[in-house]
Amino acid sequence: MADSKVWSPEFVQDLLPSAQRTALLYHLSYLCLGGFPKLEYMIRERALETQMLFGSSETVLLKCVCTSCNLVCSLFPMLRNAVQKNKPVLAVKYLEKARTWINDIIRAVDDMVKRYDQQNKSVASCTSDVIQEQKETEVKLTQHSEEMKSLEEAVAKLEEELRKTAQNVEEIEKKIDGINSELQDHIKELSRNNIGMSILAVLVPFIGPLIQSIYDTSPGVAAQTQYLNAELSRLTSEKSNLRNREWNIQVKLTDLQLKLAISKIQMGVIPSPVHLNDVQKCLSRIQKILVQLKMFWEKVGVALDTLKDKTFAGDALIEELDDLKEEFLTSIKTAGMYWKTFGECCQRAQGIFSIQNKDAYQFLEINPSSLSEDERMEHYECIMEKLKNINPQGSTTATITE
């Protein structure tokens, strides 16, 4: 198990809200800044780059789906067969094959992390260029209308509320990390004296079945486990509520920023590129989760190496397989169920990236300068409705080791 965090099998679904939000924010930026040809060109270029990046992300997630399927449908049955027939050499061969699958994913995810970093810098450069253009047109604005002043005050108030909520989320995450660490140390200590749990910890990178194993096999120490798990659930629920609040504030803020942008456009002034700033936040969020995905697969690779070196290496252990057989076969069965869930979650995330890659950037086919005011408002309203309907909770809250 890991030394710091735990995740749920569904953690990859945290990618979904940011992926869905990115195209909508590009669309808003395109509508707000598209009346200025130079800026329209820059946004179009960044949006197309991101669309291609999402296409590559889809491919990486498909690799995760396929590897999870291979573990469930190929590796685990072969391991089961090797254990039943007391053939550790075959087991080693199968584990080495699985290692090549995982190394391939690690390389692919690492490449994606670097590409997201480059794209984020590209969007930041675009944002900087927009700000420079904005400064050159703001001289036209000699005085603010009362409506604009009111909007700016409301935006500032929501920005402060968003900042405080994000700070609260960060504090909760630190508490969750502390409980996670304590829970993992507790389970690690118990695993040392429980062969079945030790095998399960290697095959299943999800902490949920390990907790259940404690309840089933070690009732004497289950109280401490139950306390830590309950505290983790409470903090996770509190974090979820804060995330929902943060999301709702962000949607309201986006709406007000849009109204302020429209007011400036009507006065011939380039609005602030706030939606491009939000694109950067989404890309950073996706990049962060991909880093977690890479670490996850690295952990799985180490676990399989450990299984190969400590369980199936050496003549003495061939004789011990009879004693371990029942625990091993039970653990393989449990592992298959959890890996199946993980594969399904990766498949859902892959499907979202596929949709984003193929359909979400069709707005680039429209010339924003050709839109009437009514058509532009219709686009705005449609985008805001879609933003409101995105589920901010991309995953559920079982746990998975890092």
Side-chain angles (χ1 to χ4, degrees):
M1 289 185 300
D3 296 325
S4 56
K5 297 181 182 178
V6 290
W7 299 327
S8 71
E10 297 88 350
F11 78 96
V12 289
Q13 291 187 79
D14 286 342
L15 292 163
L16 308 187
S18 294
Q20 293 169 309
R21 187 174 170 82
T22 298
L24 295 172
L25 292 169
Y26 268 126
H27 195 170
L28 282 179
S29 299
Y30 193 61
L31 290 172
C32 291
L33 303 172
F36 306 91
K38 180 179 177 181
L39 302 183
E40 177 186 336
Y41 173 78
M42 288 193 294
I43 293 169
R44 176 187 291 274
E45 289 294 299
R46 299 296 87 76
L48 287 172
E49 289 169 359
T50 301
Q51 183 182 21
M52 289 188 289
L53 190 61
F54 278 12
S56 298
S57 300
E58 177 193 354
T59 302
V60 170
L61 285 165
L62 184 58
K63 282 180 178 289
C64 292
V65 173
C66 293
T67 299
S68 299
C69 182
N70 283 338
L71 289 173
V72 174
C73 300
S74 180
L75 176 65
F76 292 163
M78 288 189 293
L79 279 180
R80 186 186 303 115
N81 183 59
V83 171
Q84 288 173 331
K85 295 182 178 181
N86 286 2
K87 294 184 177 180
V89 175
L90 273 180
V92 169
K93 179 180 178 182
Y94 300 149
L95 288 167
E96 288 174 349
K97 178 63 176 176
R99 197 65 169 90
T100 63
W101 304 336
I102 291 167
N103 286 340
D104 186 39
I105 286 183
I106 291 171
R107 285 191 295 269
V109 176
D110 186 51
D111 178 64
M112 290 308 307
V113 169
K114 293 174 182 175
R115 289 179 60 185
Y116 271 94
D117 186 55
Q118 293 170 352
Q119 183 62 14
N120 214 328
K121 290 176 181 176
S122 178
V123 175
S125 177
C126 179
T127 303
S128 178
D129 291 341
V130 172
I131 292 173
Q132 185 57 42
E133 291 285 321
Q134 180 195 24
K135 289 178 180 178
E136 294 175 7
T137 62
E138 275 189 335
V139 294
K140 299 177 183 178
L141 191 62
T142 56
Q143 62 180 15
H144 286 85
S145 67
E146 287 302 315
E147 180 187 3
M148 286 179 63
K149 287 182 180 178
S150 176
L151 283 171
E152 287 176 341
E153 289 172 359
V155 165
K157 183 178 179 180
L158 275 179
E159 285 176 338
E160 177 60 18
E161 191 175 352
L162 185 63
R163 185 191 67 78
K164 289 181 178 178
T165 305
Q167 190 175 43
N168 290 337
V169 170
E170 187 176 343
E171 290 172 359
I172 287 291
E173 286 179 337
K174 289 180 181 178
K175 292 179 181 179
I176 288 174
D177 285 348
I179 293 294
N180 278 338
S181 180
E182 191 175 349
L183 182 59
Q184 288 183 87
D185 288 343
H186 174 65
I187 293 175
K188 189 181 294 185
E189 182 63 31
L190 294 177
S191 296
R192 291 194 179 102
N193 301 315
N194 187 315
I195 293 176
M197 193 185 301
S198 297
I199 296 172
L200 191 61
V202 172
L203 287 176
V204 188
F206 315 110
I207 213 170
L210 298 179
I211 292 175
Q212 187 59 51
S213 178
I214 292 173
Y215 293 157
D216 294 339
T217 63
S218 307
V221 295
Q224 174 67 5
T225 308
Q226 190 170 16
Y227 165 75
L228 291 171
N229 197 38
E231 184 66 8
L232 182 61
S233 296
R234 184 188 68 78
L235 290 170
T236 302
S237 177
E238 188 175 344
K239 176 185 171 182
S240 177
N241 291 335
L242 283 170
R243 283 290 191 196
N244 282 327
R245 174 177 170 77
E246 184 180 35
W247 186 268
N248 290 332
I249 294 171
Q250 184 65 67
V251 171
K252 291 178 183 177
L253 182 58
T254 300
D255 191 29
L256 284 178
Q257 289 169 333
L258 177 58
K259 291 175 180 175
L260 182 58
I262 293 172
S263 296
K264 289 189 175 183
I265 291 170
Q266 290 171 345
M267 300 184 75
V269 175
I270 296 175
S272 299
V274 289
H275 305 309
L276 285 179
N277 286 331
D278 288 339
V279 166
Q280 286 180 251
K281 293 176 184 177
C282 288
L283 293 176
S284 294
R285 176 64 179 159
I286 294 171
Q287 182 184 12
K288 180 180 177 181
I289 296 168
L290 287 174
V291 169
Q292 292 177 330
L293 184 62
K294 177 189 172 187
M295 293 169 64
F296 165 74
W297 282 111
E298 287 174 341
K299 174 61 185 174
V300 173
V302 170
L304 292 182
D305 286 344
T306 300
L307 183 66
K308 180 184 70 175
D309 295 338
K310 294 187 177 181
T311 305
F312 293 109
D315 294 337
L317 287 177
I318 294 177
E319 299 174 359
E320 293 177 13
L321 279 178
D322 278 335
D323 297 330
L324 298 174
K325 189 173 295 184
E326 191 60 38
E327 289 90 344
F328 206 105
L329 294 176
T330 300
S331 296
I332 289 175
K333 182 178 179 181
T334 303
M337 292 187 297
Y338 279 86
W339 274 106
K340 184 174 182 290
T341 298
F342 177 71
E344 289 169 350
C345 294
C346 288
Q347 189 166 32
R348 182 174 174 228
Q350 179 247 331
I352 292 295
F353 273 96
S354 176
I355 292 171
Q356 295 300 305
N357 177 36
K358 294 174 183 176
D359 302 327
Y361 292 85
Q362 290 182 353
F363 65 85
L364 295 173
E365 299 172 7
I366 300 171
N367 180 355
S369 302
S370 67
L371 297 174
S372 67
E373 195 61 33
D374 287 343
E375 289 172 328
R376 191 180 295 270
M377 289 307 300
E378 187 178 336
H379 277 273
Y380 288 148
E381 291 170 3
C382 180
I383 294 169
M384 289 309 304
E385 188 62 28
K386 289 179 180 179
L387 283 171
K388 291 174 184 176
N389 289 332
I390 294 173
N391 178 13
Q393 298 300 321
S395 69
T396 56
T397 54
T399 48
I400 174 177
T401 63
E402 179 176 308

